[in-house]
Every structure is written in structure tokens, then in C-alpha cells.
Amino acid sequence: MTSNKRKNTVANKKKSTIANKKKNTVANKRKNTVANKKKSTVTNKKKSTIANKKKNTVANKKKNTVANKKKNTVANKKKNNCTLFVPTNGAGLGHLTRCLAIARRLRKLDPDREIIFFSTSAAMNLILKEGFLGYHIPSQMICGKHVKSGDWNSMFQEHLRRIIKLHQPNLLFFDGVYPYAGLITSMRETKGLKKVWMRRGLGKKVRPEVDKKEKEFDMIIVPKELFIPQEEQKTGKHYYSNPIIYLEKSELLNRESLRKKWKVPEDHKLVFVSLGAGNINNINPTISKILTVLRKRKDISIVISESIIGKRLQIPEQENLIIIRDYPISSYYHAFDLAITASGYNSFHELLFFNVPAIIIPNQMTKTDNQVARALSAEKSGAALVIKNESILEIEKAINMALEPQRQLLMKNTTQKLIYKNGADDVARLLKNFF
């Protein structure tokens, strides 16, 4: 019995050991399987995370690259589509008016173009009124003895440098008689900047030192003179345009509405008087003589224009006399039967363009602009009358002649045949296509 018990005990121990081994093996297998699954899951997650990170990094790089390209493209477009107009002015508004005429048409042709102004003109409000950004520095003429020429040019150059750095224009359009030293220096140091000079052709004398400045510009635009052929049209970078006119005919105010507003009697002729800003010559004595003659007639109403940058005229109030101080004065031209004016480039060509019969009293005190030659050429063609001797007798003779129906018809017919195209449109297209 004892022997059998021992045998059974040993046998049971073996069975138990084998059973435990099997259990442990199964348990271990299960544990290992779970552990392996966990390891595999962790490994896969890590791999997936790394893979995703790589994918995201590549995707982000591509997105950033595309975004940067778009940003750079926009930045470059902004940098390379800006025009800076630099009109000079002191005594009048001619240079500024021509630049505004071109700028407003360029904006229509190229709405995305940035257009800015840097001017010496006192009439900065006109730039802002048109919706353009404008920077200003007083002209050297206004600064006078208080600022030396060298100091003024340094000041001009420093202002222009800052403007160019801020806006990075690709085109500079200068309209003036003489390119300042500060302007030339700033243009030379700005890489990639295209330079255009609008240079009026009719001058009193040849100035070789000014002609030499043309080499600093990529193009010279010369607005033509009516009745005066260009003696020698240069080739190459010179472009000859039709006269530059600020307004279109469709922009002029209605004749009947204006006459009603000003209470002009139906049987009256409306005479317009404008002799410039009076910053160069004293226009008061001449205006006084004109008014003396006009008062003799009972069929005349008078509109006198004061320049917005000139002094107030000393004219007493009287019946059928209106004084206006506005810009552009050409918006009123449909209302007038006769204009008595000086012969500055802009006012002269605007009167002819809008078919207003005119008596011209040229300003003989100008330094460079040959108003006398311009006026005489118009008289020779039959488009206007010219007063050379500002006496009451000659003024009266000219007014009576200009108001005769036959003379009125002759002047209107002559001017209607002249300008068929506004040069401002041509120049604006030129700037858009080539710059």
C-alpha cells in the first residue's frame, strides 16, 4: 500500500508538473501575444506618426511655397506697377494740370496701378480731389531768399528718396521746364526706374544746358502747338503728342443751367475774363480797362475768373458781374460767347478745343513760354483776335469785332476743324503699354 501511495504521489506530481507547464506555456503564449500586439500597435503608431509628420511637413512645405509664391507675386506686382508724377509749378497750374489729365486717364486704363504725386505746386488740394496721394515741397521760387539753391535741392532730393523707397515706383513722369539737380541724382541712384520728361516745345530761346538733361530720361514727350509746326521733330526717344486737355467735352457743364444759375438775361452775351494767376505780372490794370469797355455795352454780362493760387482781384461789385474761383475753369466754357484771356499753353488749347471765340492778351513777362508767338499764330489762322497794345481803344475795337456774328462764326468754324483727339488719352495709353 505504501509503495502504491508513493507511486501515485510521484505520478500525480508529474501530471501536475506537466499540466502546470502546459498552463504556463499557454499563459506565456497569451502574454507574449498580447505583449507583441501592444508592441506592434505602439510601433505602428510611432511609424504612422512619423510618416504622418513627414507627410504633413512635405504638405506644409508645398503650401508655404505656394503661399510665398503668391505673396511674392503680389508684392512684385505692387512694386512694379507704380507711377510717380513729378510736376513743377510756382506761377501757374500748367504742369500740374497736364499731369492730372494724363493720370486720371491712366487710372481708367489700368485700375490696379498705384499713382502718386510729388509736386512743388501750391494747389495740392487738386491732387487729393482727384483721389491721388500727393506729397508736397514748396517751390524754390516761393522759398526765395530764405533757402539757398543748394539747400533746396538737397531737401528736394531727400524727400524724393523717401517717396521712392516707400512706394518703389517703376516709372517717374516729370513735367517741368528744368529737371532739378535733386531730381537727377535721385533718378540716377534708383535702379530699374524708367524716366519720362514731358517738355513743352515752344520756348523764347534755345537753352543748350537744358537740352543736355534729356539724356537722363528714357523718353521725351513733347505736346504739340496748334498752328505752329515743329521746326525739327527729333527721332528716337522723342514722342510728339496732341495738346493735353484736362476735361472731355462731355464733362462740361450745361450752358442753359449755368446762365440760369448766374441770372444772365436771355438777350445778353456772356463774356469770360481770365488773365492768369497774376504771380508774374500785374493783371489788375488790364482787367480794369476791359471792364471799362464792357460796361459801355448794355447787352453784356461778365464772368471773371480768379486763379485758385493767385491773389484776390480788387474789383468792386456791380450788376451783371460774377467772380468765380474754381478748378477746372474749363468746365464752364460752354456758357461763354467770348473769352478774353492770356495765352498760357493749357488755357489757350482748352479754349480752342471747346470752340470758344477768344481775344488773347499774351503775357509778355514769362521767362520761357512764348505766349506772343502762340497768340499770333491763332490770330493768323482766324481762330482768335490778339491785343498787343493794351489801350482802351484797342480793347474796345477787339471786343466789338469779336462779338460780330460773322466773326463769331469764323472763329468757331476754325476751332472745330483743329483738335479731333485729346493728347492726354494718347500719352496715358503710351505709359500703360510701354511702362
Side-chain angles (χ1 to χ4, degrees):
M1 290 290 294
T2 303
S3 177
N4 289 333
K5 282 183 180 179
R6 286 179 180 174
K7 286 179 180 179
N8 289 336
T9 302
V10 171
N12 288 335
K13 283 182 178 180
K14 285 182 178 179
K15 287 180 180 179
S16 177
T17 301
I18 291 168
N20 287 334
K21 282 183 178 180
K22 287 181 178 179
K23 286 181 182 179
N24 289 334
T25 301
V26 171
N28 288 333
K29 282 183 179 180
R30 286 178 182 174
K31 284 181 181 179
N32 290 334
T33 301
V34 172
N36 288 333
K37 283 184 178 179
K38 285 183 179 179
K39 284 181 181 179
S40 178
T41 302
V42 171
T43 303
N44 289 334
K45 281 184 179 180
K46 286 182 178 179
K47 286 180 179 179
S48 178
T49 302
I50 292 168
N52 288 333
K53 281 183 178 180
K54 286 182 178 179
K55 285 181 181 178
N56 291 335
T57 302
V58 172
N60 289 331
K61 281 183 178 179
K62 286 182 179 179
K63 285 181 181 178
N64 290 333
T65 302
V66 173
N68 289 331
K69 281 183 179 179
K70 287 182 179 179
K71 285 181 181 179
N72 290 333
T73 301
V74 172
N76 287 332
K77 279 185 179 179
K78 185 176 180 182
K79 178 180 177 180
N80 296 321
N81 197 23
C82 175
T83 297
L84 171 60
F85 284 91
V86 186
T88 64
N89 267 110
L93 293 170
H95 302 292
L96 176 61
T97 296
R98 283 191 293 275
C99 284
L100 283 173
I102 296 164
R104 66 202 298 261
R105 287 163 176 83
L106 181 59
R107 178 172 54 192
K108 287 183 180 180
L109 293 172
D110 190 0
D112 294 328
R113 184 183 294 251
E114 182 184 12
I115 297 175
I116 55 177
F117 278 73
F118 177 44
S119 179
T120 60
S121 175
M124 288 299 296
N125 61 307
L126 303 181
I127 296 170
L128 303 177
K129 185 179 177 181
E130 278 287 0
F132 299 119
L133 174 63
Y135 297 91
H136 176 252
I137 182 173
S139 69
Q140 191 173 352
M141 184 184 76
I142 292 176
C143 292
K145 62 182 179 180
H146 304 291
V147 181
K148 294 180 180 179
S149 177
D151 293 332
W152 186 88
N153 269 291
S154 296
M155 183 168 61
F156 182 94
Q157 182 178 329
E158 182 60 29
H159 275 65
L160 185 54
R161 271 179 179 166
R162 290 178 178 273
I163 293 168
I164 290 174
K165 183 178 180 180
L166 180 62
H167 295 275
Q168 298 183 10
N170 67 321
L171 171 62
L172 185 147
F173 187 100
F174 173 70
D175 189 320
V177 175
Y178 185 83
Y180 308 125
L183 174 68
I184 297 296
T185 303
S186 295
M187 291 192 309
R188 285 176 178 174
E189 65 186 19
T190 306
K191 293 181 180 180
L193 180 67
K194 298 293 184 181
K195 289 89 65 179
V196 177
W197 180 8
M198 174 162 277
R199 188 182 181 192
R200 205 177 53 224
L202 186 62
K204 287 186 173 180
K205 58 182 179 180
V206 177
R207 301 177 68 187
E209 73 280 7
V210 180
D211 293 341
K212 291 179 181 178
K213 301 293 182 182
E214 289 189 354
K215 67 182 180 181
E216 303 289 344
F217 295 85
D218 299 291
M219 179 175 286
I220 310 298
I221 298 178
V222 183
K224 294 178 182 177
E225 296 275 351
L226 292 176
F227 314 117
I228 301 178
Q230 300 289 330
E231 292 183 4
E232 182 184 351
Q233 290 198 6
K234 299 177 182 178
T235 57
K237 61 183 180 181
H238 284 75
Y239 178 84
Y240 296 86
S241 76
N242 284 323
I244 309 297
I245 309 297
Y246 183 72
L247 295 180
E248 298 296 338
K249 291 183 179 180
S250 60
E251 296 181 276
L252 269 61
L253 299 173
N254 180 266
R255 174 182 173 88
E256 287 71 25
S257 298
L258 285 171
R259 290 172 71 93
K260 185 177 180 179
K261 176 184 176 181
W262 291 331
K263 299 178 181 179
V264 179
E266 290 185 5
D267 59 343
H268 274 209
K269 298 287 187 181
L270 190 57
V271 178
F272 173 63
V273 181
S274 176
L275 299 183
N279 292 324
I280 298 176
N281 58 328
N282 184 7
I283 60 177
N284 284 293
T286 305
I287 290 178
S288 180
K289 292 176 184 178
I290 292 170
L291 291 178
T292 298
V293 172
L294 291 175
R295 287 192 196 104
K296 293 181 181 181
R297 297 185 57 137
K298 304 302 180 184
D299 62 339
I300 296 292
S301 290
I302 308 164
V303 173
I304 296 181
S305 171
E306 287 182 331
S307 171
I308 62 172
I309 61 171
K311 296 178 181 178
R312 294 282 182 178
L313 298 173
Q314 303 302 314
I315 300 172
E317 291 185 9
Q318 68 179 70
E319 190 178 3
N320 297 326
L321 173 64
I322 298 164
I323 299 176
I324 57 177
R325 191 180 180 92
D326 202 358
Y327 181 94
I329 207 68
S330 58
S331 64
Y332 299 102
Y333 278 2
H334 274 340
F336 305 134
D337 299 291
L338 177 65
I340 304 174
T341 74
S343 52
Y345 183 90
N346 286 47
S347 58
F348 174 85
H349 287 95
E350 285 175 347
L351 284 168
L352 298 178
F353 186 74
F354 297 120
N355 312 123
V356 184
I359 295 173
I360 300 173
I361 305 178
N363 182 356
Q364 301 181 45
M365 302 296 291
T366 56
K367 290 182 179 180
T368 57
D369 189 27
N370 196 340
Q371 290 201 14
V372 175
R374 186 178 292 124
L376 292 176
S377 69
E379 183 178 52
K380 186 177 180 180
S381 70
L385 297 175
V386 177
I387 293 176
K388 308 172 192 69
N389 175 19
E390 299 169 20
S391 66
I392 288 182
L393 183 63
E394 187 167 350
I395 291 172
E396 185 172 15
K397 180 182 176 182
I399 289 173
N400 290 336
M401 185 183 297
L403 288 173
E404 290 176 356
Q406 288 184 345
R407 177 66 69 167
Q408 289 254 308
L409 184 61
L410 172 63
M411 288 192 282
K412 286 185 177 181
N413 286 341
T414 303
T415 55
Q416 283 174 353
K417 298 174 184 177
L418 292 175
I419 305 176
Y420 56 90
K421 206 170 187 181
N422 188 341
D425 294 307
D426 290 337
V427 174
R429 279 191 293 270
L430 181 72
L431 299 184
K432 179 182 181 298
N433 293 332
F434 290 94
F435 301 100

